[in-house]
């Protein structure tokens, strides 16, 4: 097989309510959908969602990097040479991980379709065919956030993540309120999105632990691995790295510094499934758990995360497979994800490839 062409289109889906984190607000989820076609007529689809407040990348910049640099480097190549595809893309343009991730997902989808396999088999197997998902509660009033957490815990979600980081005092009150409203069996995570001050973070995390928190995500700025390691050594709660972990080299440094218990692997953030699997292997060797995170994105990229979560035994923190559930309607794989809103898990498609209708 040889890659013959790459095509893109923009897909937009309004959020049910604006998605708010400490670094910004998004009224709609915007994705660039990519289709890779071979000369033999086999196709594969990928997706990237540039959340500018989080990644610093824009839709226009993403499309330019993909169509003018990364994609031309793949034309004429065998799509099954996934490692070689990354070498070619890295030679063509530095960085631009979202563009490379979209193409990487499309190549994986294409190869799995050609083989007649659901993607998780191409990724190494299916440890689980039913993938638990976390529910992510965006910023709002304490009462709104606690009510949403209680609602989704009642539906069957066993891991609730609440956004924080703007005000440590409010975060403590939020965690206490949520813990009072959800069953004790529900794991509770707070994502501070780098919002805490290094000098007071340890005191804040200790108070969060007393309030009932199980896991804190990226409490400190991405560069402060020493501070993350110090928080981890307190043993108050498990520490998860997100913004600190943008690449395989970042993951190696986190392991060396002992700066996290869990690595949040976002396929788009790290450059695709190929890179995500490298990071997951490093985490497994270091004895760390992994979680498959979200930007968030729509159904194509979310399915990629679901298949990878199904293939990794140490993906023990439920994945954030919520992008398709946060929008009014997911046009790419809505039927796959809709049941998860009432069960807290995603049943993997058994059809060849990702299992979408992009």
């Amino acid at each position: 097989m040889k890659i013959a062409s790459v095509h893109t289109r923009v897909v937009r889906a309004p959020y049910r309510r604006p998605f708010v984190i400490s670094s910004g607000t998004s009224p709609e989820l915007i994705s660039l959908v990519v289709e890779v076609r071979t000369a033999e007529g086999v196709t594969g689809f990928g997706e990237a969602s540039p959340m500018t407040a989080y990644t610093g990348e824009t839709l226009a910049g993403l499309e330019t990097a993909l169509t003018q640099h990364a994609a031309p480097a793949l034309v004429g190549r065998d799509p099954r040479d996934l490692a070689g595809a990354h070498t070619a893309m890295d030679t063509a343009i530095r960085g631009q991980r979202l563009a490379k991730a979209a193409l990487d997902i499309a190549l994986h989808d294409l190869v799995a379709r050609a083989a007649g396999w659901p993607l998780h088999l191409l990724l190494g197997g299916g440890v689980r065919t039913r993938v638990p998902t976390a529910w992510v509660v965006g910023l709002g009033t304490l009462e709104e956030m606690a009510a949403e957490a209680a609602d989704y815990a009642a539906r069957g979600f066993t891991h609730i993540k609440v956004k924080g980081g703007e005000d440590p005092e409010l975060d403590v009150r939020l965690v206490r309120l949520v813990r009072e409203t959800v069953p004790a069996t529900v794991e509770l995570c707070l994502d501070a999105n780098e919002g805490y001050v290094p000098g007071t973070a340890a005191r804040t995390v200790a108070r969060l632990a007393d309030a009932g928190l199980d896991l804190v995500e990226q409490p400190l700025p991405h560069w402060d691995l020493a501070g993350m390691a110090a928080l981890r050594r307190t043993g108050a709660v498990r520490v998860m790295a997100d913004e600190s972990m943008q690449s395989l080299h970042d993951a190696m440094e986190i392991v060396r510094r002992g700066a996290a218990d869990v690595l949040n692997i976002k396929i788009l953030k790290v450059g695709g499934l190929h890179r995500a699997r490298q990071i997951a292997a490093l985490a497994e060797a270091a004895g760390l758990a992994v979680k498959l995170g979200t930007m968030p994105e729509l159904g194509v990229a979310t399915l990629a995360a679901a298949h990878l979560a199904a293939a990794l035994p140490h993906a023990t923190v439920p994945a954030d497979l919520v992008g398709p559930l946060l929008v009014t309607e997911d046009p790419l794989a809505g039927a796959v994800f809709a049941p998860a809103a009432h069960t807290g898990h995603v049943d993997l498609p058994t059809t060849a490839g990702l299992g979408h209708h992009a």
Side-chain angles (χ1 to χ4, degrees), residues 122 213 257 308:
L122 184 68
L213 191 70
R257 303 282 288 272
L308 183 55

Side-chain angles (χ1 to χ4, degrees), residues 195-226:
Y196 293 160
V197 177
T200 60
R203 188 180 311 118
T204 298
V205 171
R207 294 179 64 202
L208 289 168
D210 290 341
L213 191 70
D214 299 298
L215 178 65
V216 63
E217 180 174 356
Q218 200 63 48
L220 291 169
H222 64 277
W223 48 263
D224 191 7
L225 294 185

Side-chain angles (χ1 to χ4, degrees), residues 178-343:
V178 172
R179 179 48 74 197
E180 290 172 354
T181 60
V182 303
T185 53
V186 171
E187 187 174 41
L188 181 56
C189 172
L190 184 135
D191 184 1
N193 285 119
E194 304 182 83
Y196 293 160
V197 177
T200 60
R203 188 180 311 118
T204 298
V205 171
R207 294 179 64 202
L208 289 168
D210 290 341
L213 191 70
D214 299 298
L215 178 65
V216 63
E217 180 174 356
Q218 200 63 48
L220 291 169
H222 64 277
W223 48 263
D224 191 7
L225 294 185
M228 294 276 284
L231 287 178
R232 186 190 183 204
R233 286 195 296 271
T234 68
V237 298
R238 290 198 295 170
V239 175
M240 179 159 59
D242 179 7
E243 286 90 340
S244 292
M245 207 279 297
Q246 306 279 336
S247 68
L248 178 62
H249 299 96
D250 289 344
M252 175 67 81
E253 190 61 20
I254 289 168
V255 168
R256 288 177 48 148
R257 303 282 288 272
D261 301 284
V262 184
L263 296 184
N264 185 340
I265 303 176
K266 295 178 177 175
I267 293 170
L268 300 188
K269 178 183 67 175
V270 302
L273 286 160
H274 178 71
R275 298 299 185 203
R277 293 179 73 195
Q278 291 177 321
I279 293 168
L282 175 63
E284 184 175 26
L288 303 185
V290 301
K291 169 193 185 75
L292 274 297
T294 183
M295 302 298 282
E297 52 269 330
L298 293 173
V300 169
T302 306
L303 274 169
H307 280 282
L308 183 55
L312 299 176
H314 58 305
T316 53
V317 178
D320 291 338
L321 307 177
V322 296
L325 305 180
L326 294 174
V327 297
T328 55
E329 182 180 2
D330 183 300
L332 305 179
V336 175
F337 290 99
H342 307 285
T343 64

Side-chain angles (χ1 to χ4, degrees), residues 32-192:
L32 186 70
V33 175
V34 179
E35 180 184 4
V36 175
R37 300 174 185 171
T38 70
E40 296 77 15
V42 185
T43 62
F45 290 84
E47 177 197 352
S49 175
M51 191 175 184
T52 305
Y54 176 83
T55 66
E57 295 175 88
T58 65
L59 179 63
L62 166 62
E63 192 160 17
T64 297
L66 193 152
T67 59
Q68 296 186 22
H69 299 279
L74 299 182
V75 173
R77 296 187 57 84
D78 187 330
R80 294 167 294 190
D81 180 13
L82 297 166
H86 278 271
T87 298
M89 290 190 292
D90 289 345
T91 300
I93 187 169
R94 181 176 294 185
Q96 298 296 330
R97 295 190 183 99
L98 264 68
K100 293 170 184 176
L103 289 163
D104 166 282
I105 294 169
L107 293 180
H108 278 83
D109 186 31
L110 188 156
V111 174
R113 286 188 186 199
W117 295 354
L119 181 60
H120 58 273
L121 295 183
L122 184 68
L123 298 177
V127 177
R128 50 188 77 85
T129 57
R130 174 171 286 185
V131 182
T133 176
W135 183 254
V136 182
V137 181
L139 289 172
T141 68
L142 300 188
E143 292 73 20
E144 289 170 343
M145 295 176 72
E148 184 175 336
D151 177 17
Y152 282 87
R155 300 184 192 202
F157 287 77
T158 59
H159 183 104
I160 303 290
K161 178 163 77 174
V162 295
K163 291 290 187 176
E166 290 189 324
D167 183 334
E169 185 62 39
L170 284 179
D171 287 351
V172 173
R173 289 168 55 192
L174 171 64
V175 168
R176 185 174 293 114
L177 183 59
V178 172
R179 179 48 74 197
E180 290 172 354
T181 60
V182 303
T185 53
V186 171
E187 187 174 41
L188 181 56
C189 172
L190 184 135
D191 184 1

